[in-house]
Amino acid sequence: MTDTHVHAPISSAPGPNGDLCIRTLAMPADTNANGDIFGGWLLSQMDVGGGVFASKVAKSRTVTVAIEAMNFRKAVYVGDLVSVYANLVRVGRASLTVHLEAWALRRGEEHPFLVTDGNFTYVSIDEHGRPQAVRSTDTVIAT
């Protein structure tokens, strides 16, 4: 994994942006064959955090229906503290799009750095698993 970016430019924000949804420690069991944290593990953490945020906004159960514009910017290593932050991008009739950022804090360092970001779309579902309208929300949409 290189530090170059192919898709979206790196955010100019000096630190994490949005609501903290999940924080976890990268462990040896989460590594790939190269000894780096497996990208699928990181994607999973982002989806869990995004699902927590989406359910809070929708005031219902939600399911992931799409992931777009994932940008793996920097490698995550064993021992890094990974935090996922969420911002609401769009609310549709039954869906909402959330921009997620994963930031890592390395042992011995003072400032976290952006490792991954992307847009995840969730759909509000009822008790039978069918799409339902997103309930009104007071959450401010990111600009």
Side-chain angles (χ1 to χ4, degrees):
M1 191 177 311
T2 65
D3 288 351
T4 62
H5 56 279
V6 177
H7 302 286
I10 293 178
S11 170
S12 60
N17 185 20
D19 291 356
L20 176 63
C21 299
I22 192 171
R23 180 171 283 154
T24 190
L25 189 64
M27 299 295 286
D30 306 319
T31 59
N32 60 23
N34 297 320
D36 300 328
I37 295 301
F38 180 57
W41 177 85
L42 189 54
L43 179 96
S44 173
Q45 298 305 309
M46 292 177 74
D47 193 27
V48 169
V52 167
F53 180 82
S55 291
K56 179 180 169 185
V57 171
K59 299 178 180 72
S60 69
R61 288 179 54 202
T62 59
V63 293
T64 309
V65 295
I67 299 172
E68 60 178 288
M70 282 295 297
N71 301 295
F72 291 92
R73 300 176 183 283
K74 294 189 184 251
V76 175
Y77 301 117
V78 171
D80 286 354
L81 184 61
V82 177
S83 302
V84 176
Y85 297 83
N87 276 302
L88 186 60
V89 174
R90 182 192 68 79
V91 176
R93 189 192 73 72
S95 67
L96 47 119
T97 301
V98 178
H99 182 75
L100 296 169
E101 296 179 355
W103 290 72
L105 180 61
R106 219 143 267 156
R107 285 181 296 223
E109 293 188 9
E110 294 183 23
H111 303 288
F113 53 93
L114 181 65
V115 292
T116 308
D117 65 311
N119 292 330
F120 288 57
T121 301
Y122 299 88
V123 168
S124 175
I125 59 171
D126 65 17
E127 62 276 359
H128 302 290
R130 293 186 298 251
Q132 66 178 0
V134 173
R135 298 181 186 141
S136 64
T137 178
D138 298 330
T139 305
V140 176
I141 296 176
T143 55

